[in-house]
């Protein structure tokens, strides 16, 4: 089965391509990228005129809630949401029930994703057993079973000695360690960013220092152990300063941010809006600007969604009791495309952060359209206008702060291993 | 002018004119409270539910008396504060109560913003009797009424608010109300109890010391130290707190002669206020309580669609 994608603006940062070209796909792999390609009569042909054709987008931080919390999301609906958002690969965090801290859970995820998922699913295992921060999980077996990284996700490893050993051990196993950098004792009972809005609303604040202090600790541990470290969902100017300085002196640290941190501020919490409740919390305008500057100067390597589906009852409740997080797979692309419009990033730089870099960080063979590579391709229609609606979101959960808002830009086609898994309209 | 709000949740949401209307109505209501037979038929046939998720004696009783003086039927409910852990959500509780067709729910809740949550979803009026560290509008109004009784105005007053501002819904309502009415507010307290960005709440000055705040003040409002909220990190000891942030006859001399001393109660005697001050001539604490009933009658009246007519 062949597929020919014609006339699109092909962007492949790894090959330094940004040109109007055709792409020929055969047997699930990229066969050729060139002008004026022809295909066998049996080939499916997609006219991508006016669209961007990019390596399939990779979201390195999602929550598929499967196993155990399928009432929020499962591998079927989660990968469908990913495909609708233009993602061909997702890495799913281990805070399932049970926690993905052993090869049995990993194998379940891998098998179910293969059988029923529509995009590639790369599991992230836990750093510690049960993500309890007490003893190391079997990272070697996790990797063998298919995990591409380890993270205790929302439960940062509080014990500094254990974190040091985790970094060393993960390095030995050749698996990336992802830190949720948060000093919980500073968070206390905080439910939103500490600042004027929290003061006015009478809500307990989470200081930016909770993120900065933990980032500093983990960056220094990475430097000390000479181990690679990836920091998840960075949201503060202080943490970015620490990471920027560390990178400059050669520390092996990478980081990601999420679209809500460059799109929203803690102002969005006004009205006790539970769909603006997340962790780390939405920050100040100065932090938002710092995130954009760090995207621009390369301090931030990747854009990930932290897609966090929750059931209606878990959000339609008093603010303090509402769970943290928002869904993000289907809104990430249009929100990130705004960065191009605002000239924060060039289009190829955006594709680097949404496909090339996450693949590199996780060590997965994705993020390029080189002949011979897996034909994971996203065709983006930058002009498509659509309204975020609970009725049309593919995710099982609808906890988005953008419900009712009009977005510009969408995946026209999402192609995994040469097969169209999503077609818009 | 009429009162256009279905609910009263925060003084932040009210205009200066609406606050004035409530204060003026309360003054009229006060006359009812001084009669032999303290009852008018104004809200006859209306059902009011006092839904108190947090313990309260004075506010709940004050709302209950206010309702009864206006001839409304008032019912008190004190659900367990942990209804959420028992499985029933606030919304479910409210829906059940709603099926009994109340006209007004007066609620106290430990979570800031819980009232907005209900108000958006229920057709009846919601009055906030205190939500978390957000607002306590009836307290703010009764405080302003007590100040206006004394000075005849609120514009241009220097009001010092001293203590745990971070956790104080009383402070937030007073700051919102007073700054709208043209008062100048000075805050003081240990820095562990002054919230981030407090100076942006209106015409507010955050002072480095208590003395600076009360120097030349017309009103010294002391906040209750909520022992249950201080944990182990905000204060070393109550003894030290009272020494640096307590009001006593000595430091009170810094304020204007005859300055008003106020406290939302209940007082921790010897902590926020020395008994000499609490029971002294300058204390207006009992007048605050007295005005509470009139203010709450005004609030119930206006959310029920009442129009103030000059009598």
């Amino acid at each position: 089965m062949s597929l020919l994608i014609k006339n699109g603006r092909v962007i492949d940062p790894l090959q330094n391509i940004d040109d109007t070209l055709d792409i020929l796909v055969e047997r699930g792999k990229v066969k050729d990228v060139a002008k004026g390609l022809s295909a066998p009569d049996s080939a499916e042909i997609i006219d991508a005129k006016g669209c961007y054709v990019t390596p399939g987008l990779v979201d390195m931080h999602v929550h598929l809630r499967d196993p155990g919390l399928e009432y929020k999301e499962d591998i079927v609906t989660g990968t469908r949401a990913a495909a609708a958002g233009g993602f061909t690969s997702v890495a799913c965090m281990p805070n399932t029930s049970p926690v993905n801290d052993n090869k049995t859970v990993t194998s379940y995820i891998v098998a179910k994703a293969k059988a029923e998922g529509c995009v590639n699913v790369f599991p992230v295992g836990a750093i510690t057993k049960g993500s309890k921060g007490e003893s190391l999980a079997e990272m070697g077996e996790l990797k063998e079973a298919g995990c591409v990284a380890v993270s205790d996700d929302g439960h940062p490893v509080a014990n500094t000695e254990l974190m040091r050993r985790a970094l060393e051990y993960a390095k030995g196993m050749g698996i990336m360690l992802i830190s949720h950098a948060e000093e919980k004792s500073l968070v206390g009972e905080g439910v939103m960013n500490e600042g004027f809005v929290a003061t006015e609303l009478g809500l307990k604040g989470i200081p930016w220092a909770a993120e900065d202090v933990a980032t500093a600790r983990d960056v220094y541990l990475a430097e000390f152990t000479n181990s690679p470290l990836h920091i998840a969902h960075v949201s503060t100017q202080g943490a970015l300063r620490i990471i920027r300085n560390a990178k400059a002196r050669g520390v092996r640290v990478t980081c990601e941010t999420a679209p809500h941190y460059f799109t929203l501020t803690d102002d969005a919490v006004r009205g006790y809006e539970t769909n603006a409740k997340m962790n780390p919390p939405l920050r100040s305008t100065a932090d938002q600007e710092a995130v954009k500057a760090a995207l621009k100067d390369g301090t931030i390597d990747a854009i990930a969604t932290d897609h966090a589906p929750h059931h209606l009852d878990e959000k339609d409740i008093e603010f303090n009791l509402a769970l943290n997080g928002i869904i993000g797979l289907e809104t990430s692309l249009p929100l990130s495309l705004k960065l191009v419009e605002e000239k924060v990033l060039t289009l190829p730089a955006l594709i680097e952060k949404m496909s090339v870099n996450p693949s590199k960080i996780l060590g997965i063979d994705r993020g390029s359209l080189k002949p011979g590579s897996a034909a994971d391709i996203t065709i983006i229609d930058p002009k498509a206008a659509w309204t975020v609606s609970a009725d049309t979101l593919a995710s099982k959960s609808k906890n988005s702060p953008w419900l009712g808002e009009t977005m510009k830009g969408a995946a026209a086609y999402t192609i995994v291993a040469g097969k169209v898994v999503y077609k818009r309209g | 002018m009429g009162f256009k709000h279905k609910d009263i949740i925060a003084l932040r949401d009210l205009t200066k004119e609406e606050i004035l209307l409530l204060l003026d109505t309360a003054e009229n209501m006060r006359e009812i409270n001084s009669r032999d037979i303290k009852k008018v038929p104004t809200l006859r046939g209306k059902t009011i539910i006092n839904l108190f998720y947090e313990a309260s004696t004075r506010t709940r009783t004050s709302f209950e008396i206010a309702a009864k003086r206006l001839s409304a039927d008032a019912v008190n409910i004190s659900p367990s504060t942990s209804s959420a852990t028992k499985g029933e959500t606030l919304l479910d509780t409210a829906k059940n109560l709603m099926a009994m067709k109340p006209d007004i729910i007066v609620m106290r809740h430990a979570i800031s913003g819980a009232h907005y949550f209900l108000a958006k979803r229920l057709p009846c009026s919601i009055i906030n009797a205190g939500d978390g560290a957000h607002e306590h509008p009836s307290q703010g109004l009764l405080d302003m009424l007590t100040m206006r009784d004394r000075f005849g105005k609120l514009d241009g007053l220097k009001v010092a608010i001293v203590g745990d501002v971070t956790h104080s819904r009383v402070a937030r309502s007073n700051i919102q109300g007073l700054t709208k009415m043209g008062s100048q507010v000075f805050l003081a307290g240990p820095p562990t109890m002054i919230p981030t960005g407090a100076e942006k709440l209106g015409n507010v000055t955050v002072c480095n010391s208590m003395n600076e705040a009360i120097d030349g003040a017309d009103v010294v409002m002391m906040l209750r130290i909520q022992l249950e909220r201080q944990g182990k990190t905000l204060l070393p000891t109550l003894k030290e707190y009272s020494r640096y942030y307590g009001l006593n006859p000595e430091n009170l001399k810094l304020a204007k002669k005859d300055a008003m001393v106020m406290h939302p109660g209940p007082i921790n005697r010897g902590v926020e206020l020395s008994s000499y001050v609490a029971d002294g001539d300058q204390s207006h604490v009992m007048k605050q309580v007295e005005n509470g009933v009139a203010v709450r009658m005004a609030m119930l009246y206006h959310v029920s669609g009442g129009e103030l007519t000059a009598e």
Side-chain angles (χ1 to χ4, degrees):
Chain A
M1 182 70 198
S2 314
L3 170 68
L4 182 63
I5 304 165
K6 292 175 71 75
N7 305 320
R9 177 177 165 190
V10 176
I11 295 156
D12 183 4
L14 273 184
Q15 297 188 83
N16 224 357
I17 293 175
D18 181 357
D19 200 357
T20 304
L21 298 168
D22 301 342
I23 298 179
L24 180 62
V25 171
E26 273 178 5
R27 283 185 290 277
K29 302 214 183 274
V30 175
K31 171 89 174 159
D32 203 358
V33 182
K35 279 192 198 290
L37 289 177
S38 55
D41 290 345
S42 64
E44 184 184 347
I45 293 174
I46 296 174
D47 186 357
K49 193 158 187 280
C51 291
Y52 310 146
V53 182
T54 74
L57 304 182
V58 177
D59 190 342
M60 63 182 299
H61 191 149
V62 308
H63 300 265
L64 295 180
R65 308 299 190 201
D66 190 351
L69 303 163
E70 294 90 346
Y71 70 99
K72 296 174 194 255
E73 190 84 282
D74 59 42
I75 285 169
V76 175
T77 57
T79 57
R80 240 182 247 157
F87 292 96
T88 54
S89 295
V90 295
C92 58
M93 286 291 159
N95 63 338
T96 45
S97 180
V99 171
N100 182 14
D101 64 355
N102 65 76
K103 64 180 181 184
T104 309
V105 179
T106 309
S107 303
Y108 160 83
I109 295 170
V110 169
K112 185 164 177 193
K114 201 171 173 196
E116 299 175 33
C118 65
V119 306
N120 306 304
V121 174
F122 296 99
V124 176
I127 298 172
T128 65
K129 292 193 186 86
S131 289
K132 287 184 178 150
E134 291 162 3
S135 57
L136 296 180
E138 293 168 338
M139 294 183 197
E141 290 201 358
L142 285 170
K143 185 180 176 188
E144 228 173 87
C147 284
V148 293
V150 288
S151 174
D152 274 355
D153 193 45
H155 307 279
V157 180
N159 183 314
T160 307
E161 151 74 3
L162 185 61
M163 188 63 167
R164 171 211 167 149
R165 299 304 177 194
L167 281 160
E168 289 171 339
Y169 195 83
K171 179 171 67 168
M173 284 298 162
I175 192 166
M176 178 58 85
L177 188 145
I178 301 174
S179 161
H180 171 114
E182 185 184 25
E183 173 50 51
K184 289 278 191 191
S185 69
L186 275 174
V187 173
E189 291 167 358
V191 292
M192 70 171 291
N193 184 47
E194 182 171 323
F196 174 65
V197 180
T199 293
E200 193 169 70
L201 296 181
L203 292 173
K204 208 137 202 177
I206 300 171
W208 47 256
E211 183 167 335
D212 298 8
V213 166
T215 301
R217 183 198 75 165
D218 290 352
V219 162
Y220 278 106
L221 288 175
E223 185 168 16
F224 176 70
T225 60
N226 189 27
S227 305
L229 165 72
H230 178 78
I231 312 247
H233 45 50
V234 179
S235 72
T236 68
Q237 45 186 329
L240 289 165
R241 198 159 49 226
I242 291 161
I243 294 164
R244 186 178 291 120
N245 290 343
K247 283 186 164 187
R249 58 177 192 275
V251 181
R252 298 160 72 186
V253 60
T254 53
C255 73
E256 76 198 26
T257 194
H260 36 275
Y261 299 116
F262 55 76
T263 309
L264 300 172
T265 66
D266 58 2
D267 244 353
V269 177
R270 287 187 185 283
Y272 301 90
E273 179 48 70
T274 54
N275 278 335
K277 185 179 178 189
M278 48 198 78
N279 186 21
L282 295 173
R283 305 281 187 186
S284 68
T285 307
D287 291 310
Q288 185 189 22
E289 291 306 316
V291 166
K292 287 188 187 179
L295 282 162
K296 192 169 191 161
D297 73 15
T299 303
I300 295 174
D301 302 274
I303 294 171
T305 64
D306 195 3
H307 178 79
H310 290 301
H311 196 251
L312 179 64
D313 291 347
E314 297 165 332
K315 281 291 194 184
D316 191 22
I317 195 168
E318 300 97 297
F319 193 85
N320 287 12
L321 304 179
L323 297 184
N324 281 315
I326 59 167
I327 54 168
L329 282 166
E330 292 164 83
T331 47
S332 178
L333 181 56
L335 294 172
S336 301
L337 281 169
K338 269 196 211 164
L339 295 170
V340 177
E341 208 169 285
E342 293 170 8
K343 303 213 181 326
V344 174
L345 294 176
T346 62
L347 193 54
L350 179 68
I351 300 309
E352 273 189 323
K353 292 184 201 300
M354 295 187 76
S355 176
V356 181
N357 294 349
S359 303
K360 278 189 199 163
I361 293 164
L362 297 175
I364 60 175
D365 182 21
R366 294 295 190 284
S368 175
L369 298 172
K370 266 189 200 138
S373 56
D376 287 2
I377 301 169
T378 304
I379 301 177
I380 300 165
D381 178 355
K383 293 200 183 70
W386 59 285
T387 303
V388 185
S389 148
D391 297 337
T392 50
L393 286 172
S395 175
K396 205 179 269 187
S397 292
K398 314 297 174 189
N399 49 314
S400 165
W402 292 288
L403 287 176
E405 278 193 36
T406 301
M407 300 268 160
K408 201 174 131 200
Y413 291 85
T414 306
I415 298 160
V416 176
K419 193 175 145 215
V420 174
V421 296
Y422 172 80
K423 179 176 185 270
R424 189 177 144 74
Chain B
M1 82 175 245
F3 191 78
K4 294 190 181 64
H5 301 271
K6 172 173 88 79
D7 317 291
I8 301 178
I9 297 175
L11 295 188
R12 181 161 43 95
D13 302 335
L14 302 184
T15 62
K16 181 179 176 181
E17 290 68 31
E18 287 163 342
I19 290 171
L20 268 176
L21 178 67
L22 286 162
L23 295 178
D24 291 344
T25 308
E27 268 187 18
N28 284 15
M29 294 294 180
R30 216 157 36 189
E31 186 270 321
I32 297 165
N33 294 333
S34 62
R35 294 179 193 172
D36 275 352
I37 296 175
K38 304 174 187 60
K39 206 173 182 80
V40 292
T42 316
L43 297 187
R44 191 165 56 201
K46 300 275 186 189
T47 303
I48 297 174
I49 295 176
N50 288 325
L51 181 61
F52 276 60
Y53 282 87
E54 276 188 335
S56 160
T57 306
R58 102 193 45 213
T59 305
R60 190 188 53 70
T61 308
S62 186
F63 267 111
E64 187 178 351
I65 291 173
K68 287 180 170 163
R69 290 198 175 154
L70 295 172
S71 298
D73 298 308
V75 188
N76 295 315
I77 302 174
S78 305
S80 155
T81 51
S82 58
S83 71
T85 59
K86 283 164 63 184
E88 182 160 81
T89 63
L90 173 63
L91 186 58
D92 281 337
T93 305
K95 279 181 181 164
N96 278 287
L97 295 176
M98 209 55 228
M100 302 175 203
K101 310 262 185 273
D103 299 285
I104 302 172
I105 293 177
V106 176
M107 182 168 80
R108 169 166 289 191
H109 200 287
I111 296 179
S112 301
H115 296 72
Y116 288 111
F117 175 81
L118 273 199
K120 249 190 253 172
R121 292 160 178 85
L122 298 186
C124 73
S125 290
I126 307 288
I127 291 182
N128 184 1
D131 65 325
H134 175 227
E135 282 219 36
H136 192 349
S138 63
Q139 181 73 39
L141 289 167
L142 72 89
D143 287 341
M144 285 192 278
L145 182 60
T146 311
M147 289 179 221
R148 200 174 72 165
D149 287 345
R150 168 79 169 70
F151 297 106
K153 60 164 193 174
L154 294 167
D155 186 29
L157 296 184
K158 176 177 178 180
V159 182
I161 300 179
V162 180
D164 182 4
V165 179
T166 298
H167 294 103
S168 178
R169 51 196 176 211
V170 174
R172 278 182 188 67
S173 280
N174 270 294
I175 291 167
Q176 292 293 344
L178 286 166
T179 59
K180 272 180 193 157
M181 305 311 287
S183 309
Q184 281 185 293
V185 177
F186 292 75
L187 301 179
T192 50
M193 296 182 172
I194 302 291
T196 314
E199 66 286 349
K200 288 192 248 164
L201 284 169
N203 189 3
V204 173
T205 306
V206 178
C207 301
N208 291 317
S209 71
M210 178 177 178
N211 286 355
E212 195 182 322
I214 61 180
D215 188 28
D218 297 291
V219 181
V220 181
M221 182 183 290
M222 304 303 294
L223 300 175
R224 177 177 162 73
I225 288 294
Q226 297 173 51
L227 299 170
E228 69 279 13
R229 291 183 196 236
Q230 305 317 337
K232 289 174 188 150
T233 55
L234 301 187
L235 283 180
T237 57
L238 289 181
K239 176 175 72 75
E240 175 151 309
Y241 179 83
S242 70
R243 180 164 170 195
Y244 293 96
Y245 300 100
L247 191 66
N248 54 56
E250 276 313 300
N251 56 15
L252 182 54
K253 284 179 193 155
L254 291 169
K256 280 200 181 130
K257 193 172 176 297
D258 297 333
M260 293 173 78
V261 172
M262 304 178 81
H263 190 291
I267 300 169
N268 295 304
R269 284 181 179 262
V271 181
E272 304 108 16
L273 289 181
S274 90
S275 287
Y276 296 106
V277 174
D279 303 327
D281 295 342
Q282 289 171 257
S283 170
H284 288 250
V285 175
M286 286 307 122
K287 291 193 187 104
Q288 290 174 266
V289 178
E290 188 183 332
N291 277 333
V293 175
V295 155
R296 287 165 182 133
M297 288 165 79
M299 294 168 86
L300 295 172
Y301 174 72
H302 280 299
V303 296
S304 303
E307 296 274 337
L308 177 70
T309 50
E311 286 180 38

